[in-house]
Amino acid sequence: MKRTIALAALLVMAQQTAQAETLKVFSSGGMYPVIESLKQDYQQQTGNTLQLEAAPSMGDTPQAIPNRLKRQDNADVLVMVDYAIKPLEQAKFVDSSSHKVLAHSYIAMAVKQGMTPPDISTVAKFKQVLTEASSIAISDSASGKYIQGKMLSKLKLGPKTASKVSVIPATPVGEAVAQGKAELGFQQNSELQAVKGITIVGLIPPTVQQDTLYGAVITRSTQQKQAAAQFVKYLQSDNARKMMQEKGLTPF
């Protein structure tokens, strides 16, 4: 009897091994720390291997998801800023029916570790901090585009403050702050949390904050539709939602 049970277990293991797949996932910075932390759990649960690659949701760098897809550097699943998925749907790179919203993300500010964190508890104080800063670093993705395109205008900050802003392409903004290349750094809270050598001052004031959604979608080029769909479903699980909260995101 025991021999029969052991043989059955071996057959199940062999079947799982035969069915195991390698799933390639492109993830932008806001969700990357979440998926990286979930990777081992996902692999243990499914037997599949997760090939996770960092890729910005937008921008001019070769690593940006739209640019990678245009040169046929295909993945199975994309996890990225949600509004950036729409152009990919229009370009027929992704399966619209698989599109799922995962989390809310908010912009935070950081300074180099050891510096006294400035007070940004009110819009007036936040504006003063920006006015007095010697240099400001932002990303080339969603948060940076918002800061340059809308936030500075909302705060009625003119060319003098705008001239202090540097865009950091395809690299965590927190790293530039940690290296002393910028006095202040702004990026999604979850992205800043993943960087050592900085102090996160906090989220920027609500009236000038931007709620950025992150989503997941399956590519049309995938040859592993079932495994890709299972992974997107896994990203909506209680375990994944808990990890999002731990990494500074708010599950959708």
Side-chain angles (χ1 to χ4, degrees), residues 198-213:
I198 62 172
T199 297
I200 299 176
V201 180
L203 300 181
I204 66 175
T207 54
V208 292
Q209 180 63 261
Q210 183 186 49
D211 177 3
T212 298
L213 294 175

Side-chain angles (χ1 to χ4, degrees), residues 26-215:
F26 290 164
S27 176
S28 59
M31 277 290 294
Y32 187 92
V34 173
I35 300 175
E36 187 175 43
S37 297
L38 291 168
K39 182 178 178 179
Q40 185 175 357
D41 178 68
Y42 166 77
Q43 291 181 158
Q44 287 177 344
Q45 284 195 33
T46 64
N48 294 336
T49 299
L50 197 63
Q51 183 182 336
L52 177 62
E53 297 186 16
S57 299
M58 60 196 77
D60 299 325
T61 63
Q63 301 99 312
I65 288 174
N67 296 332
R68 296 185 76 164
L69 297 181
K70 285 175 185 175
R71 64 173 185 265
Q72 298 184 331
D73 184 5
N74 293 318
D76 298 296
V77 178
L78 311 176
V79 182
M80 58 193 294
V81 170
D82 196 69
Y83 72 75
I85 293 176
K86 187 66 175 179
L88 302 183
E89 291 176 339
Q90 294 170 342
K92 307 298 184 185
F93 283 125
V94 298
D95 177 5
S96 300
S97 65
S98 69
H99 181 183
K100 301 295 181 184
V101 181
L102 300 174
H104 300 267
S105 181
Y106 301 99
I107 301 169
M109 189 183 91
V111 295
K112 187 174 182 179
Q113 194 171 47
M115 284 186 61
T116 301
D119 185 355
I120 61 169
S121 59
T122 67
V123 170
K125 290 177 179 179
F126 180 53
K127 183 175 179 179
Q128 183 179 356
V129 169
L130 290 171
T131 302
E132 295 176 354
S134 59
S135 54
I136 301 167
I138 62 173
S139 79
D140 65 342
S141 196
S143 61
K145 290 183 182 299
Y146 165 73
I147 288 168
Q148 276 193 316
K150 294 183 179 180
M151 191 190 80
L152 295 181
S153 177
K154 283 184 180 180
L155 291 169
K156 295 182 170 56
L157 291 170
K160 186 175 180 180
T161 302
S163 67
K164 303 174 188 178
V165 176
S166 297
V167 178
I168 310 298
T171 304
V173 170
E175 291 184 8
V177 175
Q179 294 165 9
K181 295 178 180 178
E183 182 182 346
L184 307 178
F186 293 90
Q187 201 161 20
Q188 306 294 344
N189 187 35
S190 57
E191 294 181 80
L192 290 174
Q193 283 194 18
V195 179
K196 295 181 180 179
I198 62 172
T199 297
I200 299 176
V201 180
L203 300 181
I204 66 175
T207 54
V208 292
Q209 180 63 261
Q210 183 186 49
D211 177 3
T212 298
L213 294 175
Y214 278 86

